[in-house]
Amino acid sequence: MLSDSQLNVYIVGDNLSPRQRVQLQAQLDSALRALPQWCLDLVRAALERSGARNFPLVIEPQPPGGDALPLSLGHIEGRPAAYLRPRLEGDRIEWLQDRRYLVAKAAAYVCAPPRDDAPDFWRRWAEAVAADALREVATSAHEAWADASDRDLLIEMFAAYALNPSHPRWAELPSVLGFLEGWGAKAVS
């Protein structure tokens, strides 16, 4: 576990073997190490603003064939929390999505300020979404994005940028890229 990340990992499940717990922890640690430092800095700043001491990441292994989503975002005792739900069968762990991406989305969730606390942040994000027709671009990839909120789009784009900021497709989204670059730059300044 990255000691300075202020992320607390909880592995839930009474019937997990010590080996399974070690494997889950190792895979999550690897995903956390894939996050750039600016992501962890943004998490730290968001926690300080909210008065929370840490951000819980709860791993709730599911049986094979379960229908739980691989990531659920919510709250524990008023603090943002993320629930990662990999499928577990023996020593085989199936995250259903790239676990680095799941962890980056969890970080984005905690970093995104509440709408009422940061109307300028959300106005600028909405302008970037509109300028690049992001909702339309996303919907052309999958129709489920047609009803996505600005927060949903922010979480997805944050994760994509955190893990691959030099991808050629960013050239197609200059306003979104500029917003994300500016947000990340504030974390390191």
Side-chain angles (χ1 to χ4, degrees), residues 11-21 60-63 88 90:
I11 300 175
V12 179
D14 294 335
N15 58 348
L16 297 175
S17 71
R19 179 176 169 82
Q20 290 170 322
R21 286 183 186 280
E60 294 179 317
Q62 303 293 306
L88 189 61

Side-chain angles (χ1 to χ4, degrees), residues 93-165:
I93 301 169
E94 186 179 347
W95 292 89
L96 302 179
Q97 284 186 18
D98 182 330
R99 65 183 174 270
R100 298 169 310 143
Y101 193 64
L102 294 172
V103 169
K105 289 197 292 187
Y109 174 69
V110 75
C111 292
R115 191 169 295 276
D116 293 343
D117 294 350
D120 187 56
F121 175 93
W122 289 104
R123 178 191 52 76
R124 289 183 294 107
W125 174 244
E127 289 170 356
V129 167
D132 290 345
L134 177 59
R135 188 168 276 101
E136 292 77 13
V137 170
T139 301
S140 70
H142 195 285
E143 66 184 40
W145 288 105
D147 296 325
S149 70
D150 283 351
R151 180 178 293 274
D152 295 336
L153 292 169
L154 178 67
I155 288 170
E156 290 294 322
M157 293 295 99
F158 177 101
Y161 176 69
L163 296 175
N164 197 351

Side-chain angles (χ1 to χ4, degrees), residues 52-67:
R53 293 180 53 186
N54 56 52
F55 173 50
L57 274 172
V58 181
I59 302 175
E60 294 179 317
Q62 303 293 306
D67 61 356

Side-chain angles (χ1 to χ4, degrees), residues 13-32:
D14 294 335
N15 58 348
L16 297 175
S17 71
R19 179 176 169 82
Q20 290 170 322
R21 286 183 186 280
V22 167
Q23 283 183 299
L24 287 164
Q25 184 70 51
Q27 288 186 13
L28 188 63
D29 286 350
S30 172
L32 285 167

